[in-house]
Amino acid sequence: MGQLGDSRAIPALVEGLNDTESDNQIYDMWALGSIGDSSAVPDITKKLDAKDPAIRRTAAYVLGALKDPRATHALTIALNDSTEDVRWNAAIALAQLNDASGSELLTRLLDRSYVDKLEGMTSDQKTQLVINAVKCLGLLKFQSAKDKIAALSQNDPDLAVRDASLEALKKF
């Protein structure tokens, strides 16, 4: 429904956020994010308190995509979530809201030795995580990360990371 972009689906999708199946809640959030209507932000923000970390991770991601400042406080709290990828998504979402609260966390993702040790992720997922961190830190013009981004632009083994780093450096 989200791919159709039909805002008439929003009430049904918001109602679906209360479904007992986690997957249905996740798909409803994705659809709401795809539609891009921020009227669902309060309902999605509540999902940052869900028991299932996949729901919390998706909520943080979708709130970043919607770029509604009403989510800032809840996303800041999510920076302390017990699950690492929820924290990463919260930091990325905050950066999309031009909030640097998660910048230290994002800077840690520039450390390839740290990222390469992460379990349960493919090499492509790890690369995308680094790229997202680079883009967000560039967007924020986070000076403390500039040297690390410059080093990635010259030394990272992945050309996509190098390219993203060069683009990010243009923003400083």
Side-chain angles (χ1 to χ4, degrees):
M1 286 201 276
Q3 290 179 345
L4 298 175
D6 189 345
S7 61
R8 292 177 295 175
I10 292 172
L13 292 169
V14 169
E15 184 178 326
L17 294 177
N18 297 316
D19 196 288
T20 57
E21 293 293 324
S22 295
D23 286 347
N24 291 341
Q25 292 179 49
I26 289 169
Y27 292 132
D28 285 342
M29 282 189 281
W30 278 111
L32 288 163
S34 294
I35 292 171
D37 185 316
S38 63
S39 66
V41 166
D43 297 293
I44 296 170
T45 300
K46 291 176 188 172
K47 293 299 170 182
L48 290 171
D49 294 325
K51 191 174 193 175
D52 184 338
I55 291 173
R56 297 193 311 270
R57 174 184 58 238
T58 304
Y61 178 86
V62 170
L63 290 169
L66 291 173
K67 298 179 184 169
D68 189 308
R70 291 179 293 170
T72 303
H73 178 70
L75 288 166
T76 303
I77 293 169
L79 290 173
N80 297 306
D81 193 274
S82 60
T83 303
E84 208 164 29
D85 58 352
V86 174
R87 293 191 302 265
W88 299 333
N89 277 288
I92 290 168
L94 285 164
Q96 292 172 317
L97 289 164
N98 204 32
D99 183 313
S101 300
S103 295
E104 293 298 330
L105 180 60
L106 294 171
T107 301
R108 186 170 188 198
L109 296 175
L110 302 182
D111 180 354
R112 271 301 195 158
S113 63
Y114 168 73
V115 173
D116 288 342
K117 291 178 187 173
L118 296 173
E119 296 181 13
M121 295 178 75
T122 66
S123 176
D124 288 343
Q125 289 171 323
K126 291 175 183 180
T127 294
Q128 193 58 53
L129 185 60
V130 174
I131 289 171
N132 288 341
V134 165
K135 287 180 177 180
C136 288
L137 291 164
L139 179 70
L140 293 168
K141 300 177 178 109
F142 192 66
Q143 289 296 321
S144 298
K146 186 176 180 182
D147 290 343
K148 290 180 181 187
I149 293 171
L152 287 175
S153 75
Q154 296 173 8
N155 303 320
D156 196 84
D158 192 294
L159 293 178
V161 171
R162 287 187 187 194
D163 185 51
S165 298
L166 289 170
E167 288 301 311
L169 288 170
K170 291 177 185 176
K171 296 180 180 179
F172 283 90

